[in-house]
Amino acid sequence: MSPRRLDLPDAPGPAPDGALSAPSALRNRAAILSVLTRIAPPAGRALEIASGTGEHVVAFAPALPGLIWQPSDPDPARRASIAAWAALHPAPNLLPPIALDACKPGWAATQGPADLIVLVNLIHLISDAETTILIDEIGKALAPGGILALYGPFLRDGEATSDGDARFHASLRAQDPAIGYKDVVDVAAALNRHGLSLFETVKLPANNLMLCAERRI
């Protein structure tokens, strides 16, 4: 993804032993995991795109032990944080983080096939063009029948669902007019164009959604 230094209301701060901690990750990971434990395949390879601080994947791996978890992030500081959290919470099915810019074309050739791809709170921070590349590569990287779990804030019929979301969306656009919340209808259509069938949209706390899609066989 294009490097951006955004002023975000929930920027990660320091945590023990060189790790970073994002309050939003601690708030939402239980809700995200409640969906993953229901829709994830029982075994195989799971790729987390833009793993951030690593606080999600260290919870996901022990809860879904049949999957081999591959965290990733393009930012070296975030990869160091992922490794630090993994050292604090080791799991035999959790691999070391890899450098991956999922908004650049071509990564599916080396990172597939994946049985599950998890993506949390990214697409509102990237452009429409980057989102198209991302979804195209996800469609290529997933194994036939593989599952995508895409979590984040979305517009509904072009509108934010709360004043807080409207302010955050406006602040993102002010920093970079190319980014901001995507409409859930547009994202669902993009998934379909790239070989993914949306089978469930789960409403989660703080007006966020989990879009659950399966790669068509």
Side-chain angles (χ1 to χ4, degrees), residues 8 11 20 38 63 73 104 114-115 117 125 150 168 174-175 178 199:
L8 301 176
L20 299 171
R38 184 167 54 79
D73 204 277
K104 292 183 177 178
D115 301 286
I117 292 180
L125 304 179
L150 172 59
F168 186 33
Q175 295 176 71
F199 63 86

Side-chain angles (χ1 to χ4, degrees), residues 110-122:
T110 57
Q111 296 306 316
D115 301 286
L116 172 68
I117 292 180
V118 178
L119 178 58
V120 173
N121 281 340
L122 175 63

Side-chain angles (χ1 to χ4, degrees), residues 8 14 24 39 49 63 73 87 101 108 111 119-121 125 150 156 171 174 186-187 198:
L8 301 176
S24 63
I39 68 166
I49 293 172
D73 204 277
D101 187 340
Q111 296 306 316
L119 178 58
V120 173
N121 281 340
L125 304 179
L150 172 59
R156 277 77 144 183
S171 75
D186 295 335
V187 175
L198 184 66

